[in-house]
């Protein structure tokens, strides 16, 4: 298939990459740019493992056609660290064991990041409802909620 | 060491998980890597009459195809040793792999799969295990006369026995019976099945696997590839959830065969839809429970029958059913126990292991059964359980002697945590003595 | 490999010209939350993809008699926009209850309508609000009542060369409610959903809308049930009758989400609850 140049801001840096029209953002991140933080769980929009921030808002990278992000800003879990320092959410997830297999974690972190950006002090119900689109089959939901609450409470 | 006991420790390797740097198998992308996709059976049961892959092979970007003929060793694998890697004869379930295409990417694989000329003589399937054991039911395994798995040659009912249930029922004041039906369940880990295989510089076949039991799986893979074990390097350890799904090989055999044939790195991954539809499952189960009990609540006998639907192949069902049978009477002192188990083939996806290996299927039944008995004899369900709970020295159905029993203590803790006030005579009971 | 063309026009005329050129070989792409699963799983194989996210169709305006909502307005915007909350609270509620955050950020109102799922949440609310859609093609434009738009599951009167550009929601008075029952609370398609609107005149019901989702091949206006309420004094009894009648008009199926039997039982309760709760809602005043 004919390839086209796609240019966008990925984790703070402009990237240009050749893509085909049917590739998704997830395909391009994982297979062309080796940004493998976002995971392919279902390719169907259901699981949330592929969630990235597009202009700061969470979207499913598996449902986002790559060419539509031309000129826009994409942040993945790889872009959470600042100057080699873990983001507070990364620290809290790590220290509080907010995962077992970790496959859902990159998606969870991005949604949590967006939640705290909008609502620095969410209630338990607000966390649950905001995170509802991200599945954790290992069942780390309690620890995920607690980690987000701990960050909101300034413990990290 | 002791400073860690009682402490929450950060997950080993967890920094990788929160930074996205942990390499799961699908994260591996190698130069020149090819992709494989399987042609799956569109029918639940049928005979392949024609399989013509030439048009698929002609699609630009297709490197080649794999069929049973490409397998250097044996075309059988699995815990029960009855599963073909690629089946181009008697298809037994919808989604069963028939052949594979290998191409530069998955889009091309899918395009090629559409061009395969496949003719199948469809046959009548059977889905309900209790129908499958009736006379005249469609036969799942060609060349056999019935749908029952043989535990040992000629033995289709596995019997576990302690004491004499008939005598136990005769001693009972009441006898209660219950029937339970459990449906099929999928493990649904977020990470689908995937494998990457390639030849390394030392002429070894390297396979990156999501296997939960690599040493078993190596033993299944070796005869397929017909390579000495020393030439297979099986790399595992990072898994995106499994829950028993990855106790069976779903992708390594195909990726390995493709790497073997085409001498290139090959990735074979399942889509989530394939995974949910066609991967191994926790099989369906039917249980019948019959319990004899004295007026004072002491159980005198328990007779359990279990029928397990293993789907198209045996896989780990024997393991699950035997383990289920071993504990199905519950953690109770019962002098007379009989457990009769049958495993039945149907034209459903393969049933195998899932969390608890069948134990929880039996446990849910026995505890519901206990509650119903308690209600029927007008006894508090805590009391019924306390009276019968295992004490040290009791015997299980396979004649194991219970040591370090803790059921009573666990129930006391549970009562405390849930705010239930237990009467003194129950609180005085201990697992150390009857 | 198959060639697929990609267009991301910034002008409507350009977009309709592309559609006219490709006839039924092009797929319109808005948020992609319905189209991409099908593309990813090779269920659709368009020759061209027309991305409409750069046409400037994401806006919400307040006219003298209607809200005008651009077709690519996202569900997230509908859920939070003050005009929608003020004049079409049932639509805001349907938006809030559909998908999850990441889906809502992409999913569009035009996509929800064009996809024509019997479960489409926004459509259920829009039908209760008497909405209409504006369809544009190379050869002209037409306005169609949403009630006349759907033909069956994923079937509409939309022609292959037409785009939905706007949705008009009349500013009509009334008390509204949208309720949804799913297999779980978050990110789930409706087992049954209901939107109601009651236009009251003292304690008489001047006009009513009762719309069911997932209960028929298309989202369904229960006209006989609405008629039962019209001109009557609203009582609990009448509400029960209307709910029973609404379910009698439906024809749900058994699928992986629920049985038809369950849908009818739950649907009846949901309609009752929606009507009762609507009575307690603040009246929308244009
Ligand atoms: C995980 C998940 C959860 C979901 N949950 C819900 C839910 O709870 N409730 C619900 O109602 N839906 C739900 N959906 C479905 C979907 O999100 C909505 O239907 C959404 O509104 C579709 O909009 P879109 O912009 O993403 O559509 P797209 O996928 O871009 O398009 C859908 C269809 O409409 C056509 N189309 C789109 N815009 C136009 C236009 N302006 N003119 C003409 N044709 C057009 C496209 O060609 C395509 O055929 C869910 C989807 C997913 C993946
Ligand atoms: S991979 Fe995108 S939602 Fe599951
Ligand atoms: S940690 Fe395994 S899916 Fe969430």
């Amino acid at each position: 298939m004919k390839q086209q140049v796609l240019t966008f801001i990925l984790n703070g840096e402009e990237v240009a990459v050749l893509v085909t029209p049917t590739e998704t953002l997830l395909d391009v991140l994982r297979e062309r740019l080796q940004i493998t933080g976002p995971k392919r769980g279902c390719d169907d929009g259901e699981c949330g493992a592929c969630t990235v921030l597009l202009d700061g808002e969470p979207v499913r990278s598996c449902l986002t056609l790559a060419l539509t992000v031309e000129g826009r800003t994409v942040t993945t879990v790889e872009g959470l660290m600042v100057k080699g320092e873990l983001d507070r959410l990364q620290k809290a997830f790590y220290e509080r064991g907010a995962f077992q297999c970790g496959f859902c974690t990159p998606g969870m972190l991005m949604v949590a990041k967006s939640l705290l950006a909008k609502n620095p002090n969410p209630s338990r119900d607000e966390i649950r409802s905001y995170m509802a689109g991200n599945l954790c089959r290992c069942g780390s939901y309690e620890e995920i909620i607690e980690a987000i609450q701990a960050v909101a409470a300034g413990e990290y | 060491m002791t400073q860690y006991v009682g402490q929450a420790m950060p997950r080993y390797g967890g920094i990788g998980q929160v930074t996205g740097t942990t390499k799961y198998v699908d994260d591996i992308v190698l130069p020149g890597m090819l992709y494989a996709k399987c042609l799956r059976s569109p029918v639940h049961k049928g005979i392949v009459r024609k399989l013509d892959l030439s048009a698929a092979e002609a699609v630009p970007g297709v490197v080649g195809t794999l069929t049973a003929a490409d397998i250097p060793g044996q075309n059988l694998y699995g815990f029960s040793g009855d599963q073909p890697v690629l089946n181009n004869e008697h298809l037994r379930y919808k989604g069963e792999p028939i052949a594979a295409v290998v191409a530069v990417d998955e889009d091309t694989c899918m395009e090629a799969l559409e061009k395969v000329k496949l003719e199948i003589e469809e046959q009548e399937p059977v889905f309900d295990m209790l129908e499958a054991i009736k006379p005249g039911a469609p036969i799942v395994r060609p060349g056999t006369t019935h749908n029952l798995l043989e535990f040992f040659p000629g033995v289709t009912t596995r019997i576990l026995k302690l004491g004499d249930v008939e005598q136990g029922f005769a001693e009972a004041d009441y006898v209660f019976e219950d029937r339970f039906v459990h449906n099929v369940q999928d493990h649904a880990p977020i990470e689908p099945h995937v494998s990457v295989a390639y030849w390394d510089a030392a002429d070894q076949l390297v396979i990156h696997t999501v296997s939960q039991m690599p040493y078993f799986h190596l033993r299944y893979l070796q005869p397929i590839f017909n390579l000495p074990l020393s030439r297979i390097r099986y790399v595992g350890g990072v898994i995106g959830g499994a829950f028993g799904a990855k106790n069976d090989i779903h992708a390594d055999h195909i990726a390995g065969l493709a790497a073997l044939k085409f001498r290139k790195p090959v990735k074979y991954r399942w889509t989530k839809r394939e995974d949910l539809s066609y991967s191994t499952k926790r099989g369906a189960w039917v249980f019948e429970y019959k319990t004899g009990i004295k007026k004072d609540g002491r159980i005198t006998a328990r007779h359990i029958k279990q029928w397990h639907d293993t789907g198209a192949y045996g896989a780990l069902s024997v393991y699950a059913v035997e383990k289920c049978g071993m504990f199905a009477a519950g953690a109770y002192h019962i002098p007379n126990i009989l457990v009769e188990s049958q495993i039945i083939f149907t034209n459903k996806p393969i049933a195998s292991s899932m969390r608890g290996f069948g134990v929880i299927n039996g446990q849910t039944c026995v505890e519901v059964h206990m509650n119903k008995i308690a209600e029927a004899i007008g006894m508090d369900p805590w009391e019924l359980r306390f009276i019968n709970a295992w004490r040290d020295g009791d015997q299980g159905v396979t004649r194991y002697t219970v040591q370090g029993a803790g059921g009573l203590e666990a129930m006391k803790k549970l009562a405390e945590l849930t705010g239930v006030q237990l009467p003194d005579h129950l609180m005085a009971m201990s697992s150390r003595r009857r | 490999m198959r060639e697929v063309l990609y267009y991301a026009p910034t002008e409507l005329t350009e977009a309709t010209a592309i559609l006219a050129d490709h006839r039924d070989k092009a797929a319109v792409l808005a948020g992609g939350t319905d189209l991409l699963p099908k593309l990813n799983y090779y269920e659709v194989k368009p020759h061209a993809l027309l991305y409409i996210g750069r046409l400037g169709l994401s806006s919400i305006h307040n006219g003298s008699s209607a809200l005008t909502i651009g077709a690519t307005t996202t569900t997230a915007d509908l859920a939070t926009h003050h005009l929608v909350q003020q004049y079409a609270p049932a639509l805001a509620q349907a938006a809030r209850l559909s998908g999850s955050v990441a889906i809502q950020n992409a999913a569009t109102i035009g996509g929800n309508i064009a996809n024509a799922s019997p479960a489409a949440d926004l459509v259920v609310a829009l039908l209760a609000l008497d909405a209409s859609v504006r369809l544009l093609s190379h050869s002209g434009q037409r306005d169609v009542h949403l009630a006349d738009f759907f033909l069956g599951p994923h079937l509409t009167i939309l022609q292959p060369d037409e785009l939905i550009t706007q949705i008009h929601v009349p500013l009509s008075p009334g008390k509204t409610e949208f309720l949804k029952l799913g297999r779980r609370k978050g990110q789930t398609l409706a087992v049954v959903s209901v939107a109601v609107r009651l236009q009251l005149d003292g304690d008489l019901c001047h006009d009513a809308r009762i719309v069911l989702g997932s209960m028929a091949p298309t989202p369904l206006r229960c006209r006989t049930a609405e008629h039962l309420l019209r001109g009557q004094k609203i009582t609990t009894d009448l509400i029960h009758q209307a709910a029973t009648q609404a379910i009698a008009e439906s024809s749900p199926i058994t699928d992986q989400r629920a049985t038809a039997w369950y849908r009818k039982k739950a649907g009846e309760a949901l309609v009752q609850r929606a009507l009762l709760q609507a009575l307690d809602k603040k009246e929308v005043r244009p």
Side-chain angles (χ1 to χ4, degrees), chain A residues 44-47 60 63, chain C residues 19 26-38 52 57 71-72 75 94 97-100 103-104 106-117 119-123 135 158 162-165 180 187-190:
Chain A
D44 227 346
E46 296 287 346
C47 74
R60 301 289 201 236
L63 299 187
Chain C
L19 278 184
V28 173
L29 171 67
T33 59
D34 278 318
L35 186 64
L36 263 290
K38 294 183 190 143
I52 60 171
L57 292 177
T72 58
T75 310
L97 293 180
S98 78
S100 59
I103 299 295
Q104 289 170 7
T108 68
I109 186 170
N112 199 243
I113 296 170
N115 186 58
S117 158
D121 288 324
L122 304 182
V123 172
L135 310 180
L158 191 73
E162 278 179 319
L163 269 183
I164 303 174
T165 54
K180 170 176 172 179
Q187 186 176 285
T188 185
L189 288 180

Side-chain angles (χ1 to χ4, degrees), chain A residues 98-105 108 135-140 144, chain B residues 190 240-241 243:
Chain A
F99 54 91
Q100 289 181 47
C101 77
F103 209 73
C104 66
T105 312
M108 291 284 181
L135 304 181
C136 175
R137 177 61 177 87
C138 299
S140 302
I144 291 169
Chain B
I190 308 288
F243 318 106

Side-chain angles (χ1 to χ4, degrees), chain C residues 95-153:
Chain C
R96 211 164 25 244
L97 293 180
S98 78
S100 59
V101 170
I103 299 295
Q104 289 170 7
N105 283 330
T108 68
I109 186 170
N112 199 243
I113 296 170
N115 186 58
S117 158
D121 288 324
L122 304 182
V123 172
V124 171
L126 287 168
L127 281 169
L129 301 171
D130 291 345
S132 61
V133 285
R134 176 156 296 173
L135 310 180
L136 181 75
S137 75
H138 202 48
S139 50
Q141 103 180 6
R142 54 179 178 146
D143 287 330
V144 178
H145 285 297
L146 203 54
D148 301 327
F149 184 79
F150 302 104
L151 300 173

Side-chain angles (χ1 to χ4, degrees), chain B residues 60 104-108 110-111 114 271-274, chain C residues 1-3 34 36-43 45:
Chain B
V104 292
D105 58 26
E106 285 173 332
D107 280 353
T108 308
M110 294 303 289
E111 198 181 331
E114 283 171 24
T271 63
K272 179 55 78 196
R273 291 191 196 173
E274 285 181 299
Chain C
M1 206 199 283
R2 239 167 15 94
E3 283 302 326
D34 278 318
L36 263 290
K38 294 183 190 143
L39 267 184
N40 289 349
Y41 280 91
Y42 309 92
E43 290 177 348
K45 289 168 196 152

Side-chain angles (χ1 to χ4, degrees), chain B residues 20-51:
Chain B
T21 50
T22 301
K23 283 275 175 228
Y24 295 85
V25 174
D26 194 25
D27 297 340
I28 299 168
V29 178
L30 297 169
M33 190 166 78
L34 303 173
Y35 291 79
K37 274 278 159 195
C38 276
L39 174 71
R40 294 179 178 279
S41 171
V43 302
H44 300 288
K45 185 169 197 257
I47 304 170
V48 177
R49 291 299 180 204
K50 182 179 162 192
L51 174 62

Side-chain angles (χ1 to χ4, degrees), chain B residues 125-143:
Chain B
V126 60
F127 300 123
D128 182 325
M129 64 177 131
L130 298 184
E131 292 299 319
I133 48 177
K134 287 185 183 159
I139 296 296
V140 175
R141 296 162 303 165

Side-chain angles (χ1 to χ4, degrees), chain A residues 17-134:
Chain A
V17 54
L18 284 171
V19 310
T20 63
T22 54
E23 275 174 272
T24 62
L25 178 57
L26 182 65
D27 295 336
V28 170
L29 289 173
R30 291 180 52 81
E31 260 120 86
R32 297 209 183 247
L33 297 169
Q34 265 86 70
I35 295 292
T36 53
K39 298 290 174 238
R40 191 189 304 274
C42 64
D43 244 356
D44 227 346
E46 296 287 346
C47 74
C50 68
T51 310
V52 301
L53 301 184
L54 180 57
D55 296 333
E57 295 288 343
V59 296
R60 301 289 201 236
S61 62
C62 74
L63 299 187
T64 307
L65 204 72
L67 286 170
T68 65
V69 308
E70 176 68 37
R72 301 180 71 179
T73 300
V74 175
T75 314
T76 68
V77 69
E78 284 90 344
L80 279 184
M81 289 206 346
V82 179
K83 296 198 190 103
E85 274 282 305
L86 290 183
D87 183 271
R88 294 180 306 153
L89 278 163
Q90 289 175 306
K91 254 186 238 158
F93 269 55
Y94 172 57
E95 285 179 12
R96 292 170 165 268
F99 54 91
Q100 289 181 47
C101 77
F103 209 73
C104 66
T105 312
M108 291 284 181
L109 283 167
M110 301 322 285
V111 183
K113 183 81 187 160
S114 129
L115 169 63
L116 292 183
K118 283 188 191 155
N119 181 356
N121 205 357
S123 70
R124 186 185 160 83
D125 274 355
E126 284 169 337
I127 297 174
R128 282 171 56 104
S129 121
Y130 203 85
M131 305 293 294
N134 286 57

Side-chain angles (χ1 to χ4, degrees), chain C residues 112-121 123-125 127 146-157 192-193 210-223 246 249-253 263:
Chain C
N112 199 243
I113 296 170
N115 186 58
S117 158
D121 288 324
V123 172
V124 171
L127 281 169
L146 203 54
D148 301 327
F149 184 79
F150 302 104
L151 300 173
H154 306 290
L155 280 179
T156 71
I157 61 155
V192 46
S193 58
I210 301 176
V211 184
L212 288 170
S214 292
M215 291 292 281
T218 69
L220 177 75
R221 258 192 70 182
C222 306
R223 291 173 193 269
E249 288 171 63
S250 72
S251 51
I253 56 166
R263 285 194 155 100

